[in-house]
Amino acid sequence: MTQHADFLRNASDGTRVVIRHLLHNEEKSATDVLGYLSGSNETQVVVATAKGLVTVELADVIAAKEIPPPPAPRPR
């Protein structure tokens, strides 16, 4: 496993993260997932995003890091 996978495996649920991971398609492209960790095991992490839960295989992780909370809404 990579250092990024180790970080995700050891991070606490509720940690806000961004994860870049490989997609299993013809182009072998990658995508990002941004949200809050919502569970993990030895092979996967679950991230709660604005659109729902996303499961990411740790073997597909290219990069991952903790990110700060979103900014507060600006007054109108």
Side-chain angles (χ1 to χ4, degrees):
M1 290 281 164
T2 67
Q3 68 183 16
H4 302 292
D6 288 337
F7 158 71
L8 291 169
R9 193 179 303 109
N10 295 319
S12 302
D13 284 358
T15 302
R16 189 167 187 245
V17 296
V18 62
I19 303 171
R20 176 160 291 243
H21 65 98
L22 294 173
L23 295 173
H24 295 279
N25 57 18
E26 299 247 341
E27 296 84 31
K28 305 266 190 225
S29 57
T31 191
D32 296 330
V33 174
L34 182 139
Y36 297 90
L37 287 179
S38 182
S40 66
N41 61 33
E42 286 299 312
T43 61
Q44 302 173 329
V45 292
V46 178
V47 180
T49 72
K51 294 183 179 183
L53 295 177
V54 175
T55 301
V56 177
E57 296 290 331
L58 291 174
D60 295 335
V61 172
I62 298 169
K65 66 179 182 178
E66 183 174 356
I67 56 174
R74 293 172 37 176
R76 292 185 179 224

